[in-house]
Amino acid sequence: MLDHTHEPAARSWLDTANSPGTDFPVQNLPFAVFRRRGTAEGFRGGVAIGDQVLDLAALAADRPFDGLAAEALGAAAGDTLNDLMALGPPAWRALRYALFALLGSGASETSVRAARGALVPMNSVEYALPARIGNYTDFYTSIHHARNVGRVIRPDDPLTPNFQWMPIAYHGRASSVVVSGTPFRRPMGQAMAPGASAPFYGPCRQLDYELELGFYIGPGNALGEPVPISQARDHIFGMCLLNDWSARDHQFWEMAPLGPFLGKNFCTSVSPWVVTLDALAPYRVPFERPAGDPQPLGYLDDPAERADGGLDIALEVWLESAAHRARGLAPHRLSATSFRHQYWTIAQMLAQHTVGGCNLQPGDLLGTGTISGPTAPEAGAIVELSLGGTRAIELSSTGETRTFLEDGDSVILRGWCERPGAARIGFGECRGTVLPAMA
Ligand code: CA
């Protein structure tokens, strides 16, 4: 549902929130957990506005809101957003309306004074994970990614028979989810070289990224009580950028028959900012199945999903090598696509996750799986762009080439939404840097 908080003409009294290219206008209002960089301050909830972070703990001390909005503000002021996530859509919406009124151009002088006192420049903060993530599951829902990767593993039969009938997934590792900016070591492990008779042990030779979105669970469900697809959206707090770092050589050797394990569990990066489903409402698009494809079974089908279950979120992957950094050069754009091409919606993923009775809890993280668009340049992983490592990609401005990631490489994910008649909103970025393997 669109309301006054989505009005494209709405402005903030903070000028940087009105800049045409900003990710954080007053229509967005995403949440993160932050503190001033390099201090021993406690982490607390914040909301992005222009080039500033609104400190929700400082704001809450002023008691500016009443009722549900006050309750939600209190829940967002702690060192994780789990309590806010647990409250559910009416409280989230009440807080969104109150923050919109506080930060919008119609705010009273008293409000502006209170809010100004709680602003911290975004370039001076550091972030923690936005939630205490109890569980992390990663789906596999881009048919283009499934076909591209399937061709590398099983050239004669790239798409598994279940793919078009249900959103498939594996249980990931919550403990190694890190916030953007956290570097990680190239993993050690076991892999089988082509034509070899025994595996070798050593640093990963085929390190990859995966362009994904994540979504955080709001109110959970009781064990044994599935969430019907018609109610799935009410259990989703918001979305983030997610990079599922992947050790392809380890993954391809270990994956049969139980699925990914060490190839995926050494690190997953998420953006600090969580964009709420309310903020994303103007960018909903119909969920469409190509004619001739299987239609979703009843428990995965819903009129609302067909009407607007998809989300048109523009996404980009950039690679910044050590040479780019040393020479002060701009990073190289590896690919660009949109989430609207995904084969399954986030509500279908949530319904599938719970259909057997699995209980989700506030702050659980679900990944969408790699997001690859229909054409080759829209691929969301380097294993696709390099055709399984057989075609080198040349990096602009340094002339270096890549088939997989090298030590010192930073991968930067960016995401935003824009269309005529709506305000542009963005996710900021999700960045991670590869460190050499532990000797
Ligand atoms: Ca993945």
Side-chain angles (χ1 to χ4, degrees), residues 79 96 99 107 130 133 138 167 172 192 201 203 205 210 218 224 261-262 298 321 326 362 364 368 392 423 431 437:
D79 62 359
R96 176 176 171 85
L99 290 169
I133 300 167
D138 198 20
M192 180 71 98
Y201 168 78
R205 296 176 183 178
E210 289 190 338
F261 182 37
L262 306 185
S321 71
D364 282 359
T368 60
R431 174 187 289 259

Side-chain angles (χ1 to χ4, degrees), residues 138-139 170 210 212 244 264 369-370:
D138 198 20
F139 280 86
Y170 68 95
E210 289 190 338
E212 302 194 20
D244 174 25
K264 297 284 193 175
T370 306

Side-chain angles (χ1 to χ4, degrees), residues 33-41 43 122 124-128:
V33 168
F34 81 102
R35 68 179 176 191
R36 287 181 178 81
R37 188 165 50 239
T39 69
E41 293 175 353
F43 282 101
M122 197 178 282
S124 73
V125 309
E126 60 188 2
Y127 299 98

Side-chain angles (χ1 to χ4, degrees), residues 39 124 133 184 256 270 289 292-293 304-305 377:
T39 69
S124 73
I133 300 167
F184 66 96
V270 291
R289 269 292 144 79
D293 279 21
E305 286 310 286

